Amino acid sequence: MNDLISRKMQSVKASAIREILKATSNPDIISFAGGNPAPETFPVEAIREISDRILSENPYSVLQYGITEGDSDFLKQANIFFNRNEQVTKDNDMIISATGSQQIMDLLSKTLCNEGDIIVSEEPAFLGALNCFKENGALLRGVGFKNEQLDLEALEEAFASSPKPKFFYTIPNFQNPMGTTMSLEVRRQVLALAKKYQIIILEDNPYGAIRFTDQAIPSIKSLDQDDLVIYAASLSKIMAPGMRLAVCIGRKDIVGKMVVAKQGADVHTNLWAQKVSAKLLETYDMDKHLKYLREVYQKKCELMLKTMDQAFKQRVTYTRPKGGMFIWVTMPDHIDVNEFVQKALKHRVAIVPGASFYIDDSLPCHSFRMNFSTPSDENIIKGVRILGELMGK
């Protein structure tokens, strides 16, 4: 049977997160394993009202085929929204819609990479991105962290190594899986290295709006004066993930070719989602909505951290995010995290082993990821206390 499967797919494993999530369909399981937004933050009534109006007044605008680049009204409003606090879009840029930000990873790797080409990625990294790059035949070169900041010496070594990488993948804001944030100085140095070695950067920003502080750090894209950054901005975490909607902003020669790749993937992004989101961005009080969303997530994060401070053992360390959805927990070296994850699941608490977020998931990893956006306050307290008890056994 293996000789029927392409070489590029043979190295891609089913997502460990998806496998764990299958177990969480049991309502008795407390899940810290997913990465879903809190359902109570979805603007359901506004989506229903706008959708009803469109379907009443101009149904064919959302029921007919659309253009691959994206609906013009949506692209206009998305461009305004993502440039409201900083100048992301530059003169030589093109903006297109995508079926979620993961499609942007797929389209960029299809556009830039031949089989066997190198992509540099921060590590640990978003598992969906790693699998996406592998599926397109790329080889991955990982760059780790020191004191929660990207290891710049290792990044330069990765950029300078032969063969030259096609691009570098990063989530600077409230990183998945660690929840950490790249400092402004490191962002500038990453950009300087990209310029020195002429490496494209794919800046993935799904969590940037979910910050718990007033001051946002400028995106790498806004700092870029050399057309090196391709920017992926998702609406999944701030509207509703089921709409599967994101935008890609970057230089026309690359993004234009991504449009051609998209024609062979899905023809165009869901028109209903684009039309509804365009009206939401134009008419809905997004500042008020984001303020509410941040308050919900900050409360959940603080509750989880407070309970962890009380329940976890002293030798267990963890990140303290200033936004996003995730906390990265590191256990003492003598503890087998995979065994701990299975033990937790038997006690009806689901977490994700940290090895899942590495290029080679067979190497030892003493960390696991916890999500605070989805579970209820009651389950956060209960689940964290169960994990704390298991750490002592």
Side-chain angles (χ1 to χ4, degrees):
M1 179 64 75
N2 274 347
D3 60 349
L4 294 176
I5 307 300
S6 67
R7 289 189 302 274
K8 62 186 179 183
M9 284 303 298
Q10 286 179 15
S11 65
V12 181
K13 299 179 182 178
S15 165
I17 299 174
R18 296 291 174 232
E19 296 304 310
I20 290 172
L21 287 177
K22 289 179 184 177
T24 65
S25 59
N26 182 342
D28 293 331
I29 297 288
I30 297 173
S31 179
F32 300 142
N36 293 350
E40 63 267 32
T41 65
F42 299 166
V44 175
E45 291 305 318
I47 290 172
R48 179 185 293 117
E49 180 183 336
I50 292 169
S51 183
D52 286 349
R53 191 185 321 139
I54 292 172
L55 289 170
S56 296
E57 297 174 358
N58 191 8
Y60 302 113
S61 68
V62 296
L63 298 177
Q64 187 54 276
Y65 283 117
I67 63 171
T68 307
E69 289 86 343
D71 176 72
S72 59
D73 291 337
F74 169 68
L75 294 179
K76 175 184 176 181
Q77 295 303 323
N79 199 47
I80 292 170
F81 178 76
F82 288 113
N83 285 277
R84 69 197 187 284
N85 296 322
E86 59 179 3
Q87 192 59 44
V88 173
T89 306
K90 306 298 173 62
D91 290 342
N92 193 40
D93 281 346
M94 180 177 184
I95 179 171
I96 64 171
S97 66
T99 306
S101 61
Q102 191 157 327
Q103 187 181 56
I104 297 170
M105 304 166 205
D106 179 56
L107 296 177
L108 184 64
S109 50
K110 273 188 172 76
T111 298
L112 296 186
C113 297
N114 296 308
E115 192 163 347
D117 281 344
I118 302 295
I119 295 173
V120 176
S121 174
E122 59 189 13
E123 189 178 34
F126 172 45
L127 175 60
L130 299 181
N131 276 347
C132 177
F133 301 149
K134 291 176 183 178
E135 287 171 13
N136 283 303
L139 301 178
L140 300 177
R141 192 179 288 165
V143 174
F145 290 79
K146 287 184 177 179
N147 300 317
E148 299 188 1
Q149 292 296 319
L150 197 66
D151 185 337
L152 292 169
E153 290 182 6
L155 182 67
E156 180 160 21
E157 183 178 343
F159 282 2
S161 296
S162 182
K164 179 180 175 179
K166 287 301 184 79
F167 65 88
F168 168 55
Y169 173 73
T170 181
I171 302 178
N173 295 319
F174 323 123
Q175 197 250 16
N176 182 1
M178 297 193 302
T180 54
T181 300
M182 187 184 292
S183 71
L184 177 58
E185 179 57 30
V186 171
R187 294 177 196 224
R188 287 176 170 150
Q189 292 187 57
V190 167
L191 194 55
L193 288 173
K195 181 177 180 180
K196 178 179 178 180
Y197 292 98
Q198 287 300 291
I199 305 292
I200 296 295
I201 297 172
L202 173 54
E203 181 179 12
D204 192 9
N205 189 26
Y207 312 107
I210 314 172
R211 66 177 189 275
F212 306 151
T213 59
D214 291 334
Q215 189 63 40
I217 301 176
S219 65
I220 302 175
K221 180 72 169 70
S222 71
L223 302 171
D224 178 26
Q225 300 300 319
D226 298 283
D227 295 331
L228 292 171
V229 181
I230 304 296
Y231 189 74
S234 172
L235 291 172
S236 293
K237 308 302 186 292
I238 59 176
M239 284 189 182
M243 298 176 83
R244 304 306 304 128
L245 198 54
V247 295
C248 177
I249 303 172
R251 50 196 273 187
K252 295 174 184 176
D253 59 336
I254 294 177
V255 177
K257 270 297 183 186
M258 291 171 67
V259 173
V260 178
K262 183 173 169 63
Q263 288 170 352
D266 63 359
V267 183
H268 65 82
T269 298
N270 183 297
L271 260 182
W272 170 85
Q274 291 187 76
K275 289 289 189 182
V276 170
S277 295
K279 280 298 179 184
L280 271 171
L281 292 172
E282 181 182 9
T283 63
Y284 197 57
D285 190 340
M286 289 300 295
D287 289 335
K288 182 179 178 181
H289 173 66
L290 290 176
K291 182 175 183 294
Y292 167 66
L293 186 149
R294 291 166 183 157
E295 288 172 351
V296 169
Y297 285 29
Q298 183 172 10
K299 179 184 175 185
K300 286 175 175 285
C301 182
E302 289 176 350
L303 177 62
M304 181 171 277
L305 287 171
K306 179 182 177 181
T307 311
M308 290 166 69
D309 291 342
Q310 296 167 349
F312 283 12
K313 308 307 174 186
Q314 286 186 344
R315 288 179 297 168
V316 177
T317 61
Y318 37 90
T319 56
R320 308 189 79 89
K322 297 180 180 178
M325 297 183 172
F326 304 109
I327 297 172
W328 186 246
V329 182
T330 302
M331 306 276 274
D333 290 354
H334 69 275
I335 295 179
D336 186 316
V337 168
N338 289 326
E339 288 184 5
F340 182 79
V341 168
Q342 292 304 315
K343 187 190 301 183
L345 198 56
K346 289 179 182 177
H347 286 78
R348 299 181 178 179
V349 179
I351 52 178
V352 184
S356 304
F357 303 97
Y358 283 81
I359 294 167
D360 183 353
D361 62 6
S362 66
L363 296 177
C365 177
H366 302 286
S367 301
F368 60 87
R369 191 191 75 176
M370 295 177 65
N371 164 259
F372 55 78
S373 61
T374 308
S376 66
D377 291 356
E378 178 184 358
N379 279 343
I380 286 175
I381 295 170
K382 183 179 178 182
V384 169
R385 286 177 177 172
I386 290 172
L387 293 177
E389 290 172 3
L390 293 176
M391 288 173 184
K393 295 181 179 180

